[in-house]
Amino acid sequence: MAVLIIPEQHRERINKGLQSFLLTGQSPIIHKTIEITALNKKRVEFEIEFTVSPAKMLDTYFFITFIRNVSISKKLENEKNEAERLVRQSEQKLKLILENIGEGIVVTDTQKRIVLSNHMAEEIIGIKQNSEMPTTLDWSAKYSLYYPDEKTIFPSQNLPLDKALKGESTANVELIIESNETKGKKRVLISGRPIVDEDNMVIAAVANIKDITTYKNLEVALEEIEEKYRKLIGFKPDKK
C-alpha cells in the first residue's frame, strides 16, 4: 500500500502507526478515520479518507484498509466555503454602504419580515432587523398614516413596500407618520421596488425612507420670513 498509493510524505507516519500497534497494541491510526492524500495510477495526488483495522490469523496480524475518495466532496466543500466567504464579504460591504447613506433602507421577505435594515431606518421609523426573532414590518401597529394635509388617512395597502411585494415599483410618496405612542409626527418620503428571482417572481422588497420633517419646517419658516419681508417693504400681492 505504501508503495502503490501512499505519497512519500505520509509513509513514515503510516509505517510508525502500524509498528506501534504491533509492539504495544496501541496506535494513533488504528480504527480511526484519517484524511490524507493518495496517488492515482498516474501518480497524481488526490484526497482520501482511510481507516485501518487489524485482523489476526494464525498469530499473524493483517491490516485491512478502507479507502474512500473524498476529492470531489472536498472540492465541493471548498467551493461552498469560498462562496459563503464571498457572500459574507459582500454583505459586509453592503452593510457598510447602508450605514453611511443618509436615508433609511429596509428589505423584507414576502411575509414582510425584515431581513436587512440600517440605523437610519431605525432612527426614522423605530423598527429594526432582529437576527434572533424576525421583526414583521407592520406600520399600523406603530403609526397612524396620513396624506401631507395631516388629516386624510393614508391606506396602508398603498405603502410603497406593500406595492413592491405585489410587483409594483413606486416613486417617492410623501406622507405623515404619527406615533401611536408619543403622538409625534414625521413627514417622510418613501419609495419601494420589488426584488425578483430569475423567474421574475417577487422574493423580497426594498423600501427607501427619507425624513424630510426638518426640511419642510425650514421651508415653512422661509415662507413666513419671506411674507414678513414683503409686508415690511410694502409689497402688495396681486388681487385675485
Side-chain angles (χ1 to χ4, degrees):
M1 182 179 69
V3 175
L4 290 176
I5 67 170
I6 301 299
E8 187 174 352
Q9 67 268 26
H10 300 309
R11 291 175 188 172
E12 183 177 358
R13 175 190 174 192
I14 301 300
N15 287 333
K16 284 184 176 180
L18 299 179
Q19 291 170 8
S20 174
F21 177 81
L22 292 174
L23 293 173
T24 67
Q26 302 293 324
S27 172
I29 69 168
I30 296 298
H31 296 310
K32 295 180 180 178
T33 300
I34 300 174
E35 292 185 6
I36 61 171
T37 56
L39 296 170
N40 63 17
K41 62 183 180 181
K42 294 182 179 179
R43 313 304 288 170
V44 176
E45 291 189 36
F46 63 101
E47 293 178 285
I48 65 166
E49 285 181 353
F50 84 95
T51 305
V52 179
S53 297
K56 194 172 185 180
M57 296 178 63
L58 302 177
D59 295 326
T60 302
Y61 273 107
F62 295 85
F63 294 98
I64 303 170
T65 305
F66 300 90
I67 299 175
R68 186 165 72 96
N69 183 349
V70 295
S71 57
I72 295 177
S73 60
K74 282 289 184 180
K75 180 183 178 181
L76 293 175
E77 182 180 349
N78 291 337
E79 290 176 352
K80 177 185 175 183
N81 291 338
E82 177 63 13
E84 290 176 346
R85 185 189 69 81
L86 292 174
V87 168
R88 288 194 298 270
Q89 189 179 68
S90 297
E91 287 179 345
Q92 290 172 353
K93 289 180 179 179
L94 177 59
K95 288 181 179 179
L96 183 62
I97 294 171
L98 292 180
E99 295 300 338
N100 286 278
I101 61 178
E103 60 186 65
I105 303 293
V106 177
V107 181
T108 73
D109 62 16
T110 55
Q111 304 301 313
K112 297 180 72 173
R113 293 172 298 198
I114 298 175
V115 296
L116 184 64
S117 65
N118 65 353
H119 77 282
M120 282 300 296
E122 181 184 358
E123 185 176 316
I124 296 170
I125 63 175
I127 301 173
K128 66 178 181 178
Q129 175 188 5
N130 188 326
S131 57
E132 296 180 359
M133 182 70 67
T135 303
T136 299
L137 185 55
D138 184 2
W139 292 81
S140 60
K142 289 182 66 71
Y143 297 102
S144 295
L145 308 176
Y146 299 95
Y147 282 95
D149 63 8
E150 301 187 33
K151 297 178 181 179
T152 308
I153 295 176
F154 187 95
S156 59
Q157 64 268 25
N158 289 343
L159 284 167
L161 189 65
D162 290 69
K163 286 189 172 183
L165 290 172
K166 297 175 184 176
E168 303 176 41
S169 293
T170 307
N172 287 335
V173 173
E174 183 178 339
L175 66 152
I176 304 296
I177 58 175
E178 180 183 36
S179 171
N180 294 334
E181 183 179 346
T182 66
K183 300 304 178 182
K185 295 181 180 180
K186 291 181 181 179
R187 188 179 294 264
V188 297
L189 285 178
I190 307 177
S191 61
R193 63 180 180 82
I195 299 174
V196 300
D197 60 16
E198 61 274 11
D199 297 319
N200 208 36
M201 298 293 292
V202 176
I203 57 173
V206 57
N208 294 57
I209 310 167
K210 299 178 184 178
D211 186 347
I212 59 171
T213 307
T214 302
Y215 170 78
K216 283 294 182 179
N217 290 341
L218 289 173
E219 190 178 71
V220 171
L222 181 61
E223 289 176 355
E224 291 176 352
I225 292 173
E226 183 180 351
E227 184 62 26
K228 290 179 180 179
Y229 180 74
R230 287 170 179 257
K231 291 179 180 179
L232 183 65
I233 62 175
F235 176 82
K236 295 181 180 180
D238 295 331
K239 292 182 179 180
K240 295 183 180 179

